[in-house]
Amino acid sequence: METDTLFKPGHTACAGCGQAIGAKLVIESAGPNTIVVNNTGCLEVFSAKYPESAWNVPWIHSLFENAAAVASGVEAALIYLGKKANTNVIAQGGDGSTADIGLQALSGMLERGHDILYVCYDNEAYMNTGVQRSGLTPFSSATTTSPVGAKSFGNIRPKKPMPEIALAHGIPYMATCSSAFMQDIQRKIKKALSIKGPKYIQMHVPCPLGWRHESELTLQVAKLAVETGLYPIVEYENGVLISKGEITPKPVEEYLKVQGRFKHLLTNPEAIKQIQDIADYNIQKYGLKKEG
């Protein structure tokens, strides 16, 4: 039996789950002196079905929308007990429980200045409840609530700009990352936890079930999202951009064609152009294109 692993094997995540990769990297980077508060979602379900748990640290689950609020209470209790200085508090959830259902609690946590790291595992839909659209579902993606049909090309809305929303709270640290770049995740988790105050990290985590790609392609798909400019990797400290994942941009079609959720777009050049425009905007906005 492993005693030194903070996220144990044997959980019930799907093969190729990007969120399972991300969660393991987060907690192993944070270390054993950590309390985790988890929103309802895939991660909660596959890692902590009673009477079993993959977590080898104190771990709390409450409701879909309130990990940030519960974590705020945990932090307050630790301060009262004189134990906060030696304890990390991490709140985490999926894209739906972060950007939609839990946005109010997250905003309150950030605005009040709690010394908590919030991690959003962005798999771009409500995967646990049936692949419904969330505020972070990408444009033209097919989900069960943004289906493809004679008059529909999938989700009609762009991704909610959660990184910008978090930054607007004046927090000391915000970063995005991807399960394809593991050392980058580890570095950013450790840096975030070294900074006092509220921190927000958003991690792109492919879901083979909802994205309809082969499970062995998870890291390739995640990498393509970054390499096309559709998922910019950026890092901000005190509102200033301090690092970015520079790329030699690939056409977005390379990313779209390996996922069933975008299959309906492959015969529609205009739809592909609209998504390419999104990628090009991101590349220009953050200066992602490598020089030379």
Side-chain angles (χ1 to χ4, degrees), residues 17-262:
C17 174
Q19 192 173 36
I21 295 169
K24 181 175 178 63
L25 290 167
V26 167
I27 193 58
E28 298 294 347
S29 300
N33 294 328
T34 302
I35 298 174
V36 177
V37 182
N38 214 116
N39 278 331
T40 297
C42 277
L43 179 56
E44 169 258 325
V45 171
F46 74 66
S47 71
K49 289 196 292 290
Y50 181 82
E52 300 172 343
S53 175
W55 299 92
N56 205 19
V57 296
W59 182 94
I60 303 168
H61 164 245
S62 183
L63 301 174
F64 218 139
E65 70 277 11
N66 66 357
V70 173
S72 299
V74 169
E75 185 229 21
L78 289 169
I79 292 172
Y80 178 80
L81 294 170
K83 297 181 178 180
K84 178 62 187 76
N86 299 317
T87 309
N88 301 314
V89 180
I90 296 178
Q92 57 187 21
D95 51 285
S97 62
T98 299
D100 300 340
I101 300 173
L103 183 56
Q104 181 176 354
L106 172 59
S107 178
M109 185 205 93
L110 300 177
E111 179 269 329
R112 291 189 302 267
H114 290 280
D115 187 20
I116 296 169
L117 169 59
Y118 191 100
V119 180
C120 171
Y121 297 98
D122 183 10
N123 60 21
E124 300 188 322
Y126 290 88
M127 299 305 181
N128 180 54
T129 54
V131 195
Q132 296 92 352
R133 174 201 175 275
S134 82
L136 291 182
T137 298
F139 177 69
S140 287
S141 174
T143 72
T144 55
T145 52
S146 59
V148 176
K151 297 184 179 181
S152 171
F153 282 95
N155 179 41
I156 63 172
R157 300 295 302 158
K159 284 177 72 76
K160 187 181 291 187
M162 277 303 302
E164 288 90 338
I165 291 171
L167 278 174
H169 288 76
I171 61 176
Y173 187 79
M174 191 289 297
T176 62
C177 54
S178 164
S179 54
F181 300 95
M182 300 181 189
Q183 291 180 329
D184 184 59
I185 293 173
Q186 293 171 312
R187 180 185 68 80
K188 286 173 177 172
I189 294 297
K190 290 177 180 178
K191 180 166 186 178
L193 291 172
S194 75
I195 296 171
K196 187 173 177 60
K199 290 81 60 171
Y200 178 83
I201 290 180
Q202 185 165 309
M203 186 189 309
H204 203 219
V205 289
C207 171
L209 176 68
W211 295 14
R212 288 183 279 150
H213 65 74
E214 297 298 327
S215 59
E216 66 268 24
L217 297 181
T218 293
L219 297 183
Q220 178 183 330
V221 171
K223 191 175 181 182
L224 282 169
V226 174
E227 292 175 333
T228 56
L230 286 172
Y231 211 91
I233 300 302
V234 295
E235 183 179 23
Y236 284 79
E237 194 167 348
N238 296 314
V240 177
L241 180 65
I242 61 169
S243 74
K244 57 191 177 182
E246 294 187 338
I247 59 174
T248 300
K250 294 182 177 180
V252 296
E253 193 168 2
E254 291 193 27
Y255 176 65
L256 304 178
K257 69 184 181 182
V258 293
Q259 302 172 69
R261 63 176 178 159
F262 294 118

